[in-house]
Amino acid sequence: MKIKGIKRGQTIELLEQINDIPDGTEILIEFVISSKQITEDSQTLSDEERLSKLNLLFDVWQDQPELVEIFV
């Protein structure tokens, strides 16, 4: 049986239902990682790039007065 999933920290989120395996059943998992995903995720940002992206995000919020009401 092959099922796709997404790794998030130490958790793997399955993208399909596996109703035919009873809860509590011990399973063995073999990982096959998509080469496309590796190239996308392995590009780490420098501190300067991260700060630049955050500044872009905060600039979008700059002229929205309702945010004051939300966060106060």
Side-chain angles (χ1 to χ4, degrees), residues 6-46:
I6 298 174
K7 178 189 171 287
R8 300 182 196 284
Q10 291 296 317
T11 302
I12 298 172
E13 179 183 338
L14 302 179
L15 300 177
E16 302 172 31
Q17 293 293 323
I18 52 169
N19 296 329
D20 56 336
I21 300 174
D23 287 350
T25 301
E26 185 174 326
I27 60 172
L28 177 64
I29 300 171
E30 179 179 346
F31 293 99
V32 178
I33 302 170
S34 165
S35 60
K36 178 183 176 219
Q37 190 71 34
I38 291 173
T39 58
E40 291 175 1
D41 289 345
S42 65
Q43 298 174 355
T44 57
L45 298 175
S46 69

Side-chain angles (χ1 to χ4, degrees), residues 33-68:
I33 302 170
S34 165
S35 60
K36 178 183 176 219
Q37 190 71 34
I38 291 173
T39 58
E40 291 175 1
D41 289 345
S42 65
Q43 298 174 355
T44 57
L45 298 175
S46 69
D47 289 340
E48 292 81 18
E49 291 169 321
R50 284 189 195 118
L51 182 58
S52 175
K53 287 183 179 275
L54 281 172
N55 284 333
L56 286 173
L57 175 64
F58 293 140
D59 283 344
V60 170
W61 290 352
Q62 182 176 358
D63 296 321
Q64 298 193 19
E66 66 273 8
L67 290 177
V68 173

